[in-house]
């Protein structure tokens, strides 16, 4: 009887210790999958492919709450803060520009992380938020590949 009581308490303690750890992992997991430095593999705007020359040497960094784009000279060309809604897949992203032709512009889109690749599609100003990873009028999409530490610089 005493032995059973001890095992029951031990099992309860393990469950109580395990629950917070699982909760923390699941809430941090989406952003952890996104953070890093990326190069643009391909892009699409208004339903048509973006010329690969326009994307050459561009770098995108995704932080815990920011997305920043740099051109081939490493000059910042776009910056935004973002929030995620991860209840459904693909995740919904809301970005607010902090540097661009205009600041304070809010845009919505979809984002998906798969291993070392990220797909991001979003509405351009005055565009409707996308419902799939395909662009329509006033929408833009990028496929990003995580860079290796040796490629950064």
């Amino acid at each position: 009887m005493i032995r059973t009581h001890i095992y029951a308490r031990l099992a309860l303690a393990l469950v109580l210790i395990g629950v917070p750890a699982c909760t923390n992992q699941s809430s941090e997991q989406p952003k952890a999958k996104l953070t890093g430095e990326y190069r643009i593999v391909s892009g699409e705007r208004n339903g048509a492919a973006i010329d690969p020359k326009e994307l050459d040497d561009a770098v995108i960094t995704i932080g815990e709450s920011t997305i920043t784009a740099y051109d081939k000279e490493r000059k910042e060309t776009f910056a935004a803060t973002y929030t995620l809604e991860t209840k459904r897949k693909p995740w919904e992203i809301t970005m607010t520009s902090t540097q661009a032709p205009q600041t304070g512009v809010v845009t919505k889109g979809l984002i998906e992380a798969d291993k070392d690749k990220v797909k991001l599609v979003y509405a351009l100003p005055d565009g409707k938020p996308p419902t799939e990873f395909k662009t329509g009028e006033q929408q833009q999409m990028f496929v990003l590949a995580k860079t290796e530490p040796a490629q950064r610089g």
Side-chain angles (χ1 to χ4, degrees), residues 12-26:
L12 179 60
L14 290 173
V15 167
L16 291 175
I17 290 169
V19 169
C22 292
T23 303
N24 287 340
Q25 285 177 347
S26 64

Side-chain angles (χ1 to χ4, degrees), residues 72-152:
K72 61 184 173 184
E73 284 86 31
R74 297 294 280 184
K75 180 183 173 191
E76 192 174 296
T77 58
F78 174 80
T81 58
Y82 74 92
T83 58
L84 296 176
E85 177 55 61
T86 59
K87 291 179 183 174
R88 293 183 291 161
K89 287 191 178 185
W91 302 326
E92 294 176 4
I93 187 168
T94 301
M95 297 182 287
T96 304
S97 63
T98 57
Q99 180 192 332
Q102 296 178 345
T103 60
V105 175
V106 177
T107 186
K108 295 182 180 282
L110 304 172
I111 192 163
E112 178 177 82
D114 181 31
K115 297 182 185 175
D116 289 340
K117 290 207 176 175
V118 169
K119 277 200 258 183
L120 170 65
V121 61
Y122 57 95
L124 294 168
D126 300 322
K128 292 182 181 179
T131 57
E132 60 183 325
F133 285 100
K134 183 177 178 182
T135 63
E137 191 174 327
Q138 292 297 101
Q139 295 175 346
Q140 186 161 268
M141 179 174 72
F142 295 107
V143 176
L144 312 172
K146 197 169 259 189
T147 60
E148 296 298 321
Q151 294 176 326
R152 294 180 185 152

